[in-house]
């Protein structure tokens, strides 16, 4: 099993699609439905044997929850905060380009 490349509180963006978000949970390997996985076009479908990240995500139009494979994420270097409405529920602040998780997320 691989160690996750990204951590809770990091801001990342999708490698191919125009959205970014803050990580709030990590699965060591794929942990969603087979139907979800098969809905992804085969030519860009990620491997299941890698970390998958839960994001408070946003694009230019809306905010939502995203589930993204490690291979499809890169660090967002904009330095901008994420404006998702649930950020304050999961994090206590924004310091040095990272969100600080509430204690309940780190236990």
């Amino acid at each position: 099993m691989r160690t996750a490349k990204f951590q809770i509180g990091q801001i990342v963006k999708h490698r191919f699609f125009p959205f970014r978000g803050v990580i709030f949970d990590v699965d060591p390997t794929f942990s969603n439905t087979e139907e979800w996985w098969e809905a992804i076009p085969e030519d860009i479908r990620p491997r299941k044997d890698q970390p998958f990240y839960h994001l408070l995500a946003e694009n230019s139009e809306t905010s939502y929850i995203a589930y993204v494979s490690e291979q499809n994420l890169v660090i967002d270097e904009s330095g901008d905060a994420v404006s998702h409405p649930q950020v304050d529920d999961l994090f206590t602040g924004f310091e040095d380009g990272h969100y600080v998780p509430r204690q309940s997320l780190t236990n």
Side-chain angles (χ1 to χ4, degrees):
M1 187 177 304
R2 290 188 355 211
T3 302
K5 180 178 178 180
F6 305 110
Q7 300 175 350
I8 292 173
Q10 276 189 293
I11 300 173
V12 293
K13 62 183 181 177
H14 198 280
R15 185 178 301 275
F16 302 111
F17 298 113
F19 70 87
R20 60 193 292 274
V22 58
I23 296 168
F24 70 90
D25 196 10
V26 182
D27 294 335
T29 59
F30 179 78
S31 186
N32 205 332
T33 66
E34 195 66 21
E35 180 181 72
W36 181 93
W37 189 75
E38 289 178 0
I40 300 168
E42 192 171 348
D43 60 331
I44 62 168
R45 191 177 297 153
R47 298 180 330 274
K48 291 181 178 181
D49 65 341
Q50 64 181 311
F52 276 73
Y53 299 84
H54 300 261
L55 309 178
L56 297 179
E58 63 187 15
N59 60 30
S60 61
E61 299 171 5
T62 190
S63 297
Y64 52 97
I65 303 291
Y67 190 65
V68 186
S69 65
E70 186 169 274
Q71 75 186 60
N72 286 327
L73 291 175
V74 295
I75 294 291
D76 179 87
E77 296 181 2
S78 70
D80 296 334
V82 173
S83 61
H84 193 286
Q86 290 178 277
V87 164
D88 291 338
D89 296 339
L90 301 175
F91 300 96
T92 61
F94 185 66
E95 298 175 6
D96 300 321
H98 288 76
Y99 281 92
V100 178
R102 293 198 176 276
Q103 193 63 31
S104 61
L105 288 180
T106 59
N107 290 337

